[in-house]
Each structure stands twice: as C-alpha cells, then as structure tokens.
Amino acid sequence: MRRREFVTLIGNAVAWPLAARGQQRIPVIGFLHVAAAGPMAGIVAAFRRGLEEAGYTGPQNVVIEFRWAEGDYGRIPALATELVSLPVAVLVTGGGERTVFAAKAATSTIPIVCNVGTDPVKSGLVASLSRPGGNITGINILTSELATKRVGLLHDLVPSASVFAHLVNPNFPSTENIIEEVDKAAQLLGLKTVVLKAVSKAEIDTAFAAIQEKRIGALLVGSDSFFLSQRDQFVALAAQAAIPTVFEQREFATAGGLLSYGTSLTDAYRQMGDYTGRILKGEKPADLPFVQAAKFELVINLQSAKSQGIIVPHGLLNAADEVIE
C-alpha cells in the first residue's frame, strides 16, 4: 500500500466517527402548559435545573419546544397534537389533569412527564404509583388534599370571619372536588363559604367587586394555573379591597399576597426535569414511580399584613417557612 493511500484510509477512518457524532440528533422536549409564558419563568428555570442535574445542559444536547395555552383550556388538545407531530422525544405537561389527559389522547407511545393535583390512579391516568405502566409518570402536587389545610390557616388568620369567599376557576379539572373538600373543612370549623367563579381577567375583577358588595370577611383563592399567571392582579385587588386572602403557591405571597400554603412548584418542576432527563437516557416512564410532592411552603407577607391592619398570630409566624418583612 502506498503511503498516500494509507494516509487517506486513516483520515477517512477518523473523519467518519466525527461526522457521525456531528449528525447525532439532539433530543427535543415538548413542554405544554395551560398558563402564559411570562409569569411561569420560575418553573421553567426549575425544570431546566432538573434537566441539568440529569446531564442536559442546554442547546448543545437538548432542545425544548414550548407551547402555552395562555389560560385557555380549550387550546390544550390542539397544542398537544402539535407537539406530538413535531415529533418530540418526551412530552412534559403542567397545569393539571386536563393538560396531561390531552397529551395522553394525542399519543400512547411518546413518554409523558406530568404534574397533577389529585390521585392519578383514581383518575385512571396510571395503573399504580410504584409502577405506572404505559407511557406516563410524574408528580402529584396534592392540590385537593392541601385545600383543607388552607381553610384552617385562613381561620387562624381571621378568626372573626364566619363567612369566607372561595374563588375558583370552573375550568380547572379538580375544582368540583376541591369545592366539596373546602366546604367540609369549613363546616367542621363552623364557617360558611360563598363560591365565586372566574375564567378571565374581567371575571376576576367582577368576583372581587362581589366580595366587597357582600361584605365578605376573607377570601380563599382556589388552585389554578391561570390564576397563578394573574397573581399580580389578585394581589392588587386584594390590597385594594383590604380583604385577608390565602393563596396556594408561594409566588402569590412573594408578589405581595398575604399568605400562601402549598406544594413548592419549583421543587416539583425540578423533579420533572430530572425525570425527563432520565427518560432521555433510556429509562422508561412505566418503571419510574409516580411520586407525591414532599416539599410544602407556608409563606407570610408581613408587609401585606401591616397594610391591611392584620396581626398575624405568633403560632403562624413560628410555623412559617418564610416571612417576608
């Protein structure tokens, strides 16, 4: 063999694997959420941290395609179908059961990582928590279970209020169950509830006007991703009406809301990012346990309390994970 032929042969042998690596397809993750993008920046950052922990650090080895329903639950099925048709390697859903069930209807083969607020076995989403089966796994953020705890916190905060408003989004999938659980918890404490419903910014304004007109002494804001995306509106209206209000997510309290108690969404989305990375590495969703949230946060905003003339009991302050002064 001539020297020139030998060099060419070796050069091709080296170049081929380099070219092959260059042609390897970067995995695409589909991220579907019912809310709008802007207010959800924190959970996206948490999801990316989970991916990074699993070894996926950015555009060099993973791409994320986002689809946001902007609070319109009716858009979710079409957005899920759109992501499936790209296609994506993993489909991540946020914002509750309606989002993941839309994803489930769109594909039975693409792995799905989700969060839900109720028992995924009872809803028929998965076969069991320890071994979900099928193509779906994720985390239960215990929305329904924690709603009753928030009733007790509201009563501790405003013991003089015998009636409180419960503002919900009827489009949120767990709403009817949550209303039932909240009513039961209120009755045990000798309280009455007034259920108000809102599905838009204008209806949120209308609900607060009704609370003032009826002179209701306190407010519990129901679980909903659209509500979370409108937290600045909620905080402003609650301050304007000077009505003691308890929210679910800490993001409400950090935005100026009085008190929040619920699952840490940032921790939940970090876990979802980790699961997504593990699936990209070859693990199957059927074998990844559907976990329950383990991190809960009680956040009290003393600035808001002082502006409304509310004295927060020392017991609540001592129990708080964070007090904003």
Side-chain angles (χ1 to χ4, degrees), residues 9-313:
L9 179 62
I10 295 298
N12 287 340
V14 173
W16 183 84
L18 288 174
R21 284 199 298 271
Q23 292 171 3
Q24 285 180 347
R25 185 172 181 176
I26 296 175
V28 178
I29 298 168
F31 190 103
L32 174 62
H33 203 288
V34 68
M40 298 294 113
I43 66 168
V44 171
F47 177 74
R48 289 187 186 276
R49 283 197 298 274
L51 277 177
E52 289 172 1
E53 291 170 7
Y56 292 90
T57 56
Q60 62 269 29
N61 63 357
V62 71
V63 173
I64 305 176
E65 283 282 346
F66 292 95
R67 296 294 185 274
W68 302 93
E70 306 284 339
D72 184 352
Y73 283 88
R75 295 180 58 200
I76 292 172
L79 293 176
T81 301
E82 183 180 329
L83 286 170
V84 167
S85 67
L86 290 180
V88 294
V90 183
L91 182 53
V92 177
T93 70
E97 283 78 357
R98 286 184 66 174
T99 316
V100 66
F101 273 105
K104 183 180 182 180
T107 179
S108 60
T109 56
I110 296 174
I112 297 171
V113 178
C114 67
N115 65 54
V116 295
T118 57
D119 187 333
V121 177
K122 288 183 179 179
S123 69
L125 188 63
V126 297
S128 75
L129 296 179
S130 58
R131 294 184 65 84
N135 63 322
I136 301 173
T137 189
I139 181 170
N140 180 359
I141 61 174
L142 303 172
T143 299
S144 297
E145 290 86 342
L146 297 180
T148 58
K149 174 69 173 177
R150 285 188 285 276
V151 174
L153 290 170
L154 185 61
H155 183 56
D156 291 341
L157 190 64
V158 197
S160 61
S162 59
V163 179
F164 68 89
H166 184 199
L167 178 54
V168 300
N169 183 344
N171 290 332
F172 185 70
S174 305
T175 289
E176 291 306 317
N177 180 57
I178 293 172
I179 290 174
E180 183 178 344
E181 294 301 318
V182 165
D183 285 349
K184 288 179 182 178
Q187 288 172 12
L188 289 174
L189 293 171
L191 306 176
K192 294 182 179 180
T193 63
V194 176
V195 177
L196 300 171
K197 299 179 180 181
V199 299
S200 65
K201 295 178 182 180
E203 289 186 359
I204 293 170
D205 287 336
T206 300
F208 271 90
I211 291 170
Q212 289 181 281
E213 182 180 345
K214 296 175 184 293
R215 299 183 181 275
I216 297 173
L219 169 63
L220 178 67
V221 174
S223 304
D224 180 55
S225 292
F226 171 64
F227 283 2
L228 178 60
S229 70
Q230 296 302 124
R231 55 187 175 272
D232 289 338
Q233 179 187 11
F234 274 97
V235 169
L237 289 170
Q240 181 180 341
I243 180 167
T245 305
V246 169
F247 302 95
E248 179 181 15
Q249 292 92 0
R250 75 182 309 276
E251 287 80 4
F252 281 98
T254 56
L258 178 58
L259 183 150
S260 68
Y261 177 73
T263 299
S264 168
L265 287 184
T266 54
D267 189 65
Y269 276 87
R270 182 198 60 77
Q271 288 181 282
M272 291 168 67
D274 177 69
Y275 259 19
T276 301
R278 290 169 64 178
I279 291 170
L280 290 176
K281 287 182 175 180
E283 295 190 57
K284 298 182 183 300
D287 300 327
L288 290 173
F290 205 110
V291 298
Q292 289 193 345
K295 184 177 180 181
F296 311 103
E297 299 174 311
L298 172 60
V299 183
I300 299 171
N301 191 315
L302 278 184
Q303 289 182 334
S304 177
K306 290 176 182 176
S307 68
Q308 295 185 36
I310 296 172
I311 299 175
V312 180

